[in-house]
Every structure is written in structure tokens, then in C-alpha cells.
Amino acid sequence: MAFQHNRCPVHLLFHCKLEPVVLLLFVLGGFEWISTGLYLSPGMKTNLTLPAAIVNKGWKIQIGCQTDYLSHQQLIRAPSVHLRVPITSEKMQVQNLWGGLIYLLAPSQTRVTGVEMVVQQAVLAPYYKSAVTTADDWSQRRAAPSPWAELEFDNIILTVPSKAVRDLEQVDELAQVWNNIMKTIVELATKPLKFPRKERIVIDVQISHGWMHAGYPIMGQTSTAYLITNTTKIAGGMWGPIHELGHNQQRSCWEFPPHTTQCTCNLWSVYVHEELLGIKRTEAHSDLTSEKRKARMKKYVADGRKLSDWSVWTALETYLQLQEKFGWEAFKKVFAGYFEMSNFPHDNKGKMNLYAETFSRVVGMNLSGFFKSWAWPIEEITEEDLSHLPPWTDHPMAQYN
Ligand SMILES: *[C@@H]1O[C@H](CO)[C@@H](O)[C@H](O)[C@H]1NC(C)=O
Ligand SMILES: *[C@@H]1O[C@H](CO)[C@@H](O)[C@H](O)[C@H]1NC(C)=O
């Protein structure tokens, strides 16, 4: 079936029932996008009837999923193509020159249940929602004319060009794969299974920086659409998207920027690949072969063990060595431990000492020698605090001491 989205004759009335929205905890802060499964063509106007409960309460209408601002020399699309309008009235008319999917933006800490929004005219989008859309519904709906499609699973929503999902038959299977991925991510983070706000990945022809980047939404370039919607491809490994989801799990209390910014997120990539996908770390990323790991460690030592060199893969080596000795359970206990703490130090030195101490207590060993061998600025007081614990002496860096 071929549709031309901008010529679709739409004189329809859509009722979108709002699901209960309960947003209590925000890691990233900010609001939540609520999908409608509807699309507006470029320049197409629509009238909305909105519930009084969300008027002048910080809610917005958003048209368009492509929210990155672009400042590239060479542009593939205009720098800004989405529109956000505060909801200030029960009757509103909206349009966006570029068109786009229609969203409601809920402010954080919001609870609204059982209210309806009416969208007078719009174009149907291929839209799947777990536990709502049946396989039969989907077989029709995936042909809907909007050029943008959304797959809303339990803890993540994928927004992709519709052409990437027109032939997607086993959507339930894909849902299961993503539900398992998200479950595995919170398992390592020791957080409740239900994300306080579903993560989002949005695909665009051009994004603000990188091949993909973290945030809400996580953004990725077009080819990624064919990875994240294909269970066969995912089963073969999906480092990048999990790396970005890992970024969204990073907490400043155990992050040492800039050293670990592109490092600790990879713990999630390694964990998901090994524990869920059954892909060993050596196979999960070409930079994690034993040879490369060993060479990196040697180079770090040869270059004089400078904390300034301790970043990305080199920094990850420290964590992998800990994991290989103490297992993922130790990491889970450490992450869980941080949820019990407050009044964190703000500087890297303070935070690194706290981490060394926390990890040492969790595993019942004095790890100060290990961290010092990686040039962490371990203080005497930390070493004294760990005096009752046996030291870890035969660690992988000891051979270079
Ligand atoms: C999914 O990926 C596999 C392996 O790359 C490929 O053979 C298959 O055609 C893809 N499926 C779809 C629907 O694109
Ligand atoms: C902890 O280990 C470090 C390095 O192995 C050692 O120098 C320190 O004395 C140990 N702390 C105590 C109090 O045993």
C-alpha cells in the first residue's frame, strides 16, 4: 500500500485517552512526552480540545519528534523543525511548517488520569503500544500514512522513519526483546523494573552530535533505525544504543568527569551483552579484545600512569578488572549502596575516595592499593578507614608496581 502523507484526506476526529501519568522520580529532570500515534503533515492545521485539568499547568503540545537543534556546516534538514506550544486553553489550533508527530508534554511531578484530548484532524501514524495494540491491529496500523512511526514498549519508545517498520511482522517479539533489555539495564543499576519515565530513542537524518547521543530522547542517525527494530540484528550485538542507555544511568555521585563520562556507560553495554545477549565482552566490541586490553594497560603504565590519560577504554579497564575479580554482584551492591547515601562530595578526589571506600567495603577487601596503581588520588584517611580489611595484593596492576 502506498500513501502520500501530505495528500492524505483527513477529516477525522481522534480521541486520545490519556493514560495515568505518574512521574515521581526524575534522574534527568524535565518532562515526559506522551505519544498520540498521530501526525500532522507539513503546514496542516488541527484543532485540539484539551482537558481543563492540563490548561495552564505547564503542559505543552509538541509537533515533531526531531528536537535536536543543528548547527552543522552542511545541513541535511533545517536547524530546528519541531514546535512546542504551552497549553493555555481548552481549545487550541496548532500547526507546524515541517509537520510532525503530535505529542503531549507533561511537566514533571504530574498526575493526571482519565482525561481526554480530541484531535480534530490528523494523519494516523504506525503506532504500537504494548498491551494495547494487538498483532492484528499492528498488521493494519503499520501501513498508516505518517512518515514517522512509534513503537511504545514497557520502558522505552522507539521513534523511527515508518519505512523501517512497514515490514515488521513480529512486533510482539521485538517488544519482548526491548522489555528484556530494559529489565537488564535496571537490574545492574539496582533500580525498580518500571522506569519512572519511559526512555525514548528518536531517529533522525541528522542529529546535533555524534552517531548517537544520550538524553531524552536519545538520538540516533537513520541506519540505527534498522538495528533497533530488528531482533536478529539486536541478537548479534547492539553496543551503541545500550551505551547511550547506560549514559542515562550515570549518576554524578559516582562519576568522575571527564575521565569516566565515556566509560561507565559501557558497563551497561558489557552487562547487557554478556548477561542477556550471551555475547562475551571480547566479542561485544572490537576494542575489548584481550590483546587491546593488555596493550592499553601497558601503555598507561609506560606513559607514567597519569590520571589525565585515564579515560574511555583505559578507565573502563579499571572497572573490568574489578568485575573480573568480584563479579557483577559487587557492582550492584555498590550502585545500591549509593542509593542509601546522601551528602556526596562534589570534587573528583572526594568522589573517587568515596568510591574506593564503598567498593572496598562491599567486597570486604582493602582496594586502596589497586586504585592507587591506577593513579587514583587515594587519601591516607581512606586507607586507614579500610585498615580492618585484607588488602587485595595480587591485582592485575600489581605486576607493574
Ligand atoms: C533483519 O536483519 C537480518 C540480519 O541482518 C536481515 O537478514 C533481515 O532482512 C532483517 N529484517 C528486516 C525486516 O529488515
Ligand atoms: C590498604 O592497602 C594499601 C595498599 O595495599 C596499604 O598501603 C595500606 O596500608 C592498607 N591499609 C591498611 C590500614 O592496612
Side-chain angles (χ1 to χ4, degrees):
M1 225 183 303
F3 288 94
Q4 270 183 296
H5 69 268
N6 51 357
R7 299 240 192 96
C8 188
V10 268
H11 299 287
L12 302 168
L13 202 62
F14 294 104
H15 290 266
C16 301
K17 197 161 172 59
L18 294 189
E19 297 288 310
V21 182
V22 187
L23 310 171
L24 298 173
L25 171 82
F26 272 109
V27 183
L28 300 163
F31 36 73
E32 176 164 346
W33 302 8
I34 300 166
S35 299
T36 63
L38 301 173
Y39 170 82
L40 275 187
S41 300
M44 176 184 176
K45 284 190 184 125
T46 196
N47 293 309
L48 307 173
T49 308
L50 297 146
I54 66 169
V55 172
N56 290 323
K57 296 269 165 53
W59 289 67
K60 289 177 184 167
I61 295 289
Q62 177 174 304
I63 316 283
C65 59
Q66 304 159 278
T67 51
D68 268 9
Y69 292 89
L70 305 182
S71 55
H72 304 58
Q73 291 257 315
Q74 253 193 326
L75 287 169
I76 298 175
R77 68 153 169 84
S80 170
V81 293
H82 73 291
L83 176 85
R84 279 182 186 160
V85 196
I87 296 175
T88 53
S89 163
E90 285 175 60
K91 301 266 182 208
M92 290 180 67
Q93 190 177 64
V94 290
Q95 76 176 115
N96 180 14
L97 175 63
W98 305 97
L101 290 169
I102 305 175
Y103 299 95
L104 269 173
L105 266 46
S108 53
Q109 315 276 339
T110 302
R111 193 195 165 94
V112 171
T113 48
V115 292
E116 271 190 5
M117 153 166 111
V118 179
V119 180
Q120 215 166 58
Q121 297 185 80
V123 177
L124 270 187
Y127 174 56
Y128 171 88
K129 186 169 182 179
S130 289
V132 176
T133 316
T134 65
D136 272 357
D137 292 341
W138 173 248
S139 67
Q140 305 283 317
R141 190 67 184 258
R142 69 184 205 211
S146 153
W148 289 99
E150 285 202 325
L151 304 174
E152 177 161 358
F153 304 138
D154 288 354
N155 283 310
I156 192 164
I157 305 168
L158 312 177
T159 309
V160 298
S162 296
K163 61 183 192 299
V165 294
R166 294 274 186 230
D167 299 326
L168 175 63
E169 277 163 17
Q170 308 298 329
V171 70
D172 294 351
E173 201 180 297
L174 183 66
Q176 194 55 50
V177 166
W178 274 103
N179 289 346
N180 288 341
I181 290 170
M182 301 311 280
K183 181 167 155 247
T184 309
I185 284 170
V186 288
E187 192 175 279
L188 178 59
T190 67
K191 295 210 289 212
L193 176 55
K194 177 128 185 56
F195 278 58
R197 165 175 80 172
K198 293 183 186 192
E199 295 276 20
R200 281 183 176 272
I201 299 180
V202 173
I203 298 301
D204 199 352
V205 290
Q206 193 169 27
I207 64 176
S208 60
H209 58 282
W211 188 250
M212 281 193 96
H213 69 73
Y216 183 81
I218 290 169
M219 297 293 310
Q221 299 195 13
T222 306
S223 62
T224 306
Y226 297 89
L227 167 62
I228 63 177
T229 57
N230 184 324
T231 53
T232 312
K233 287 209 170 78
I234 294 172
M238 187 173 63
W239 188 275
I242 309 218
H243 166 102
E244 306 307 346
L245 287 162
H247 270 306
N248 287 357
Q249 293 299 324
Q250 288 174 318
R251 298 186 66 206
S252 85
C253 53
W254 47 256
E255 266 297 293
F256 321 124
H259 306 287
T260 50
T261 310
Q262 293 301 333
C263 156
T264 47
C265 52
N266 288 328
L267 289 171
W268 274 269
S269 299
V270 176
Y271 185 76
V272 170
H273 279 74
E274 291 194 343
E275 301 297 309
L276 179 68
L277 304 177
I279 301 171
K280 289 198 196 85
R281 61 193 63 184
T282 46
E283 312 282 320
H285 196 286
S286 58
D287 277 315
L288 287 184
T289 60
S290 320
E291 299 74 42
K292 286 199 179 168
R293 286 184 56 188
K294 204 169 281 171
R296 211 174 283 130
M297 188 162 64
K298 276 191 178 156
K299 181 165 177 8
Y300 185 66
V301 172
D303 290 348
R305 304 187 206 225
K306 296 195 287 283
L307 206 56
S308 54
D309 291 338
W310 190 74
S311 67
V312 200
W313 299 109
T314 305
L316 186 63
E317 187 57 33
T318 306
Y319 295 89
L320 292 179
Q321 290 178 356
L322 286 168
Q323 196 280 329
E324 282 157 14
K325 168 78 175 173
F326 302 107
W328 289 115
E329 283 313 305
F331 279 88
K332 291 179 195 174
K333 284 184 189 154
V334 169
F335 290 137
Y338 273 86
F339 287 118
E340 306 290 314
M341 296 182 220
S342 51
N343 298 324
F344 299 105
H346 295 290
D347 59 310
N348 276 353
K349 188 172 181 188
K351 288 199 278 186
M352 290 169 104
N353 276 273
L354 177 62
Y355 193 87
E357 193 170 333
T358 307
F359 216 108
S360 295
R361 286 188 196 288
V362 159
V363 300
M365 284 188 104
N366 168 7
L367 303 182
S368 55
F370 170 72
F371 286 113
K372 279 165 86 174
S373 73
W374 277 106
W376 282 33
I378 301 298
E379 292 172 303
E380 244 171 65
I381 177 99
T382 306
E383 292 190 68
E384 279 165 25
D385 284 349
L386 301 172
S387 61
H388 58 291
L389 300 172
W392 183 22
T393 48
D394 60 345
H395 57 77
M397 297 300 278
Q399 58 187 309
Y400 305 109
N401 283 349

